[in-house]
Amino acid sequence: MTTAPTRRNAVGTAHTRVEGRDKVTGAARYAGEIPFDRLAHGWLVLSTIAQGRISSVEDAPVLAMPGVVAVLHHHNAPRVDTDYTGLLGTPPDPTAAVFQHDRVPHVGWPVALVVADTSEQAREAAEALVVHYEQKPHDVDFGAGRPDAYPVDNHGPAVVENGDLEAELAASAVVVDAEYTTPEEHHNPMEPHAATARWDGGRLEVVDSNQGTTWVASELANLFSLDPASVRVRSEHVGGGFGSKGVRAHQVAAVMAATALQRPVRVVMTRRQMFSLAGYRSPTRQRLRLGAEADGRLRALEHSSLSLTSTVHEFIESAALPARTMYGAHAHHTANRLVRLDVPTPTWMRAPGEAPGSFALESAFDELAEKVGIDPIELRARNEPELGPVSGLPFSGRNLLACFREGARRFGWADRDPRPGLRRDGRLLLGSGIAAASFPAGAAPSTAAVTAEADGTFTVRINAADIGTGARTALTLVAADALQTAPERVRVRIGDSDFGPAFIAGGSMGTRSWAWAVTAAAEELRERLALGATVPPEGLTVRSDTTEAVGALARKERHSFGAQFAEVAVDIDTGEVRVRRMLGIFAAGRIVNPLTARGQFIGGMTWGISMALHEEAVRDVGTGGHYGADLAGYHVAAHADVPTVEADWIDDPDPDDPVGIKGIGEIGIVGAAAAIANAVWHATGVRHRNLPIRPDRVLTAGRHA
């Protein structure tokens, strides 16, 4: 075997994406681009009513159209099994189990799939398909005072009540009691959801855009009652996911059509279809009650959150969870409640729970700082818990105040006059605000295989998903260090369920979970080679499984933390809010690749700008559907909206992780919207408790101030 050059400490050095050239030259193919012989195209037909039943599907005229080969609906589609608990510990969303009955529970429910020889033929025929409905009254009104709301456990109990809340509030020198709302928000990854299904020698193969092929393969095997070994899912390149790319209607419909036609079938969602089929972030209504001594130390903390779900599946946006980590109080009450409406099922969306929850919690803390007359950073310092406020567990590391100290120094926070409405630039009012951020840092069991090749290089095989985060590159650096070789001698292959089980790209747990498995396999391989093991022509492979190691982790509060700083300018004539600069300082474990990590943090902060000022999906109460279900009607931050956004981090390795990783995928958005909202208050003297902070809301609030 050729002796490989040794290079240590690849982790922590900036490295361009190993697949970057393929992506910018078009050599990297995404799920909707890979060619197949005899490929047919499916086009989903969605309901136009919000509640009722399908009376009939007039498929005969459509079947006579050019190129059309099938129309699947509830009368003729294959039956699937939904009586199981999935890989993530939840039952499947029935929206994915398409064409099983005639019920319509929301606008945009899949009612048919038209399959044709070309995508154009399929679309034309789908738009011509006539579906008759028996319409019933619907309810999509997510308003206050819902008597049908109920608590739902998720990542912990729905309701946690420690101490006498009312007594502590009564004994408090200062009380904040306010309601905050966030709207329905949508993921909109650059690459739409796409899947191609085919049967090959009695084995189902699906080429897909997803956040975990283990997850999708397992769900498809369960749905279609297949031997798991007979299902292969591949997803090499993914153009964004943010929580939305799990098991959806398009994959199941593609498998049904491929089974019926015995030819490959591709189904790609349109941008408009993604608004009802790809999941979204539920709107929230959150009430915060904070009671404090005159010096700002908390006596009482109550955070109650209400979100919505569909009538067919239960998903809760646990916005009250951050309060259980961030701040302690003598009385500490948190609750997450849910209401069922005739709407599509929400899903995980970048920083689920923490993103909307931090807006309310960190805005309320800013209001408390104003009332007690102390600096908002100092207020947070006075309420730093030594142990988990609810769990009582020690923190694996909590460097939040270090983030604030470094951020304050770099942002020039000490020069800020705390009084609102004083700074001006012509007709613009200027203000600055801060907020804290946290997100859980978990790890999940994964497997990996590392092969020493006969030519002296190494191949890593792990069922990871690179959804644009740079995971493939990060794992290359991790493997290089574990093997004590140069990254150029390591080749990482990902996104294939045949590689064995591995955790999904989600919950900021992907890279940590995969890196642990890669490190374990690579270190064992290196030891074997050091003991004189020979490498045969086919290579020498070592496989790892971290189930036991992850299960042995001591119980602790494990989180990444951060401090968000924002400066805004508010036009008093138009109501327009512009973010002038943002700074985020994070304590998020050992940073594997500074180049892509900075992009992750800045991407999250940019999304925070979008959340604070732009994003809002609005439902028509009359029809149950969206106004403007497209990127013309649903506004997101564009280049002109993104000013100087800086992200950096402090040294914060996790001592319980073999690489020191925590997780960075989601913490960038946490707290960002609150920092902007707090800056708008500092500029204008008016609080905005409802997102987004639109110009009309600024003008209305200004008139009433």
Side-chain angles (χ1 to χ4, degrees):
M1 176 179 176
T2 304
T3 302
T6 299
R7 175 180 171 181
R8 298 178 185 273
N9 298 324
V11 170
T13 60
H15 200 291
T16 57
R17 295 172 186 262
V18 295
E19 82 285 6
R21 180 179 291 275
D22 287 346
K23 285 184 173 178
V24 299
T25 60
R29 283 182 166 169
Y30 291 80
E33 301 176 320
I34 299 172
F36 290 93
D37 292 336
R38 301 180 60 244
L39 178 65
H41 298 264
W43 201 278
L44 287 164
V45 179
L46 309 186
S47 70
T48 56
I49 67 167
Q51 174 68 287
R53 296 194 176 275
I54 303 168
S55 300
S56 63
V57 180
E58 296 186 12
D59 55 0
V62 168
L63 286 166
M65 294 178 68
V68 176
V69 294
V71 178
L72 296 181
H73 46 76
H74 67 283
H75 285 309
N76 61 8
R79 300 297 96 180
V80 296
D81 181 12
T82 58
D83 187 18
Y84 67 89
T85 298
L87 191 69
L88 300 184
T90 59
D93 182 348
T95 308
V98 291
F99 319 139
Q100 300 298 292
H101 51 75
D102 63 355
R103 183 190 168 195
V104 175
H106 61 75
V107 169
W109 177 264
V111 297
L113 179 78
V114 177
V115 187
D117 292 330
T118 70
S119 177
E120 293 80 8
Q121 290 170 330
R123 177 176 184 173
E124 182 181 7
E127 292 176 348
L129 182 67
V130 176
V131 180
H132 296 284
Y133 301 97
E134 175 190 334
Q135 191 166 358
K136 297 180 180 179
H138 62 266
D139 180 9
V140 299
D141 185 17
F142 182 66
R146 296 285 316 203
D148 50 346
Y150 61 99
V152 176
D153 295 344
N154 182 39
H155 303 299
V159 179
V160 176
E161 296 181 344
N162 297 328
D164 189 332
L165 182 71
E166 298 303 330
E168 293 294 344
L169 286 169
S172 297
V174 179
V175 173
V176 171
D177 184 347
E179 183 177 90
Y180 303 85
T181 69
T182 61
E184 180 179 322
E185 299 167 351
H186 287 259
H187 306 67
N188 283 301
M190 291 178 66
E191 179 200 16
H193 296 58
T196 304
R198 67 168 182 166
W199 288 93
D200 183 13
R203 195 173 191 220
L204 175 64
E205 181 180 23
V206 178
V207 177
D208 186 30
S209 176
N210 62 54
Q211 293 181 228
T213 61
T214 299
W215 179 19
V216 176
S218 173
E219 296 285 320
L220 292 177
N222 282 321
L223 285 166
F224 289 94
S225 302
L226 300 171
D227 180 351
S230 69
V231 181
R232 182 188 188 190
V233 177
R234 293 189 291 124
S235 184
E236 185 178 3
H237 297 288
V238 181
F242 311 110
S244 72
K245 286 187 175 174
V247 181
R248 301 288 172 200
H250 67 296
Q251 297 133 320
V252 180
V255 174
M256 287 180 171
T259 303
L261 297 173
Q262 287 300 299
R263 63 186 284 193
V265 176
R266 174 171 295 154
V267 180
V268 180
M269 287 190 200
T270 67
R271 186 67 64 182
R272 182 173 288 273
Q273 288 173 347
M274 286 166 57
F275 275 82
S276 58
L277 293 181
Y280 57 97
R281 196 195 308 280
S282 165
T284 68
R285 305 187 73 91
Q286 303 175 59
R287 186 185 184 189
L288 266 294
R289 289 199 292 172
L290 303 177
E293 303 283 10
D295 63 359
R297 287 180 170 83
L298 286 179
R299 297 183 66 96
L301 187 159
E302 180 188 32
H303 189 171
S304 298
S305 175
L306 177 68
S307 60
L308 60 74
T309 193
S310 70
T311 59
V312 298
H313 191 58
E314 201 170 69
F315 182 91
I316 187 165
E317 184 78 15
S318 300
L321 286 184
R324 299 178 186 177
T325 298
M326 294 305 293
Y327 309 109
H330 302 312
H332 199 289
H333 288 203
T334 50
N336 292 296
R337 294 184 173 86
L338 197 60
V339 63
R340 289 183 178 270
L341 296 174
D342 300 317
V343 296
T345 307
T347 194
W348 300 279
M349 182 168 167
R350 199 177 201 179
E354 272 75 9
S358 67
F359 164 66
L361 179 63
E362 295 300 309
S363 294
F365 252 71
D366 207 67
E367 297 198 39
L368 180 60
E370 177 197 357
K371 283 197 170 189
V372 297
I374 65 173
D375 182 85
I377 296 178
E378 175 59 25
L379 177 66
R380 286 159 176 81
R382 293 182 187 182
N383 287 285
E384 265 287 281
E386 293 184 3
L387 300 172
V390 170
S391 70
L393 296 173
F395 288 95
S396 64
R398 185 180 171 108
N399 287 318
L400 175 61
L401 294 185
C403 293
F404 271 119
R405 285 193 294 269
E406 176 63 13
R409 182 188 67 80
R410 291 176 53 168
F411 197 76
W413 184 257
D415 298 331
R416 171 187 187 261
D417 187 324
R419 295 173 297 173
L422 297 182
R423 290 177 57 204
R424 279 183 175 267
D425 180 2
R427 71 182 189 189
L428 302 178
L429 294 173
L430 307 181
S432 52
I434 60 99
S438 74
F439 196 81
S446 295
T447 63
V450 181
T451 301
E453 306 290 358
D455 63 359
T457 63
F458 299 88
T459 302
V460 175
R461 292 176 177 85
I462 183 166
N463 197 10
D466 192 335
I467 59 175
T469 58
R472 186 188 275 101
T473 308
L475 294 177
T476 300
L477 303 182
V478 167
D481 276 4
L483 292 164
Q484 295 185 359
T485 190
E488 294 73 24
R489 302 186 72 84
V490 177
R491 180 172 54 255
V492 174
R493 296 183 60 194
I494 65 172
D496 188 333
S497 60
D498 276 0
F499 293 163
F503 193 64
I504 65 170
S508 293
M509 296 167 64
T511 299
R512 177 176 183 174
S513 302
W514 307 324
W516 197 327
V518 168
T519 298
E523 288 182 345
E524 182 180 339
L525 177 60
R526 191 189 74 226
E527 290 172 3
R528 289 193 191 181
L529 294 173
L531 291 173
T534 59
V535 179
E538 68 275 15
L540 176 65
T541 299
V542 170
R543 186 166 186 83
S544 67
D545 184 338
T546 62
T547 301
E548 184 176 346
V550 171
L553 279 171
R555 292 186 64 221
K556 294 181 181 179
E557 287 269 359
R558 302 179 188 277
H559 303 269
S560 294
F561 292 96
Q564 301 272 17
F565 294 76
E567 181 180 271
V568 302
V570 182
D571 190 316
I572 59 176
D573 293 329
T574 67
E576 183 181 21
V577 177
R578 286 281 182 177
V579 176
R580 286 194 163 184
R581 60 188 179 112
M582 287 188 74
L583 171 66
I585 302 293
F586 302 96
R590 189 178 181 195
I591 301 302
V592 177
N593 184 0
L595 188 63
T596 52
R598 186 167 278 106
Q600 279 271 76
F601 289 134
I602 290 175
M605 294 168 68
T606 300
W607 204 341
I609 297 173
S610 205
M611 177 181 178
L613 304 180
H614 304 293
E615 295 194 43
E616 181 180 25
V618 180
R619 288 195 177 273
D620 181 350
V621 175
T623 67
H626 285 118
Y627 293 105
D630 50 47
L631 293 184
Y634 183 82
H635 296 168
V636 298
H639 283 295
D641 300 300
V642 182
T644 301
V645 180
E646 296 181 76
D648 211 337
W649 47 86
I650 62 173
D651 190 40
D652 181 54
D654 188 327
D656 298 324
D657 182 86
V659 186
I661 297 170
K662 286 187 177 178
I664 65 173
E666 294 170 272
I667 193 166
I669 190 176
V670 181
I676 293 168
N678 293 338
V680 172
W681 167 80
H682 186 233
T684 64
V686 178
R687 291 285 176 188
H688 286 271
R689 303 186 181 101
N690 306 294
L691 294 184
I693 306 173
R694 302 189 311 252
D696 63 304
R697 286 176 169 167
V698 174
L699 292 174
T700 301
R703 287 195 295 268
H704 294 161

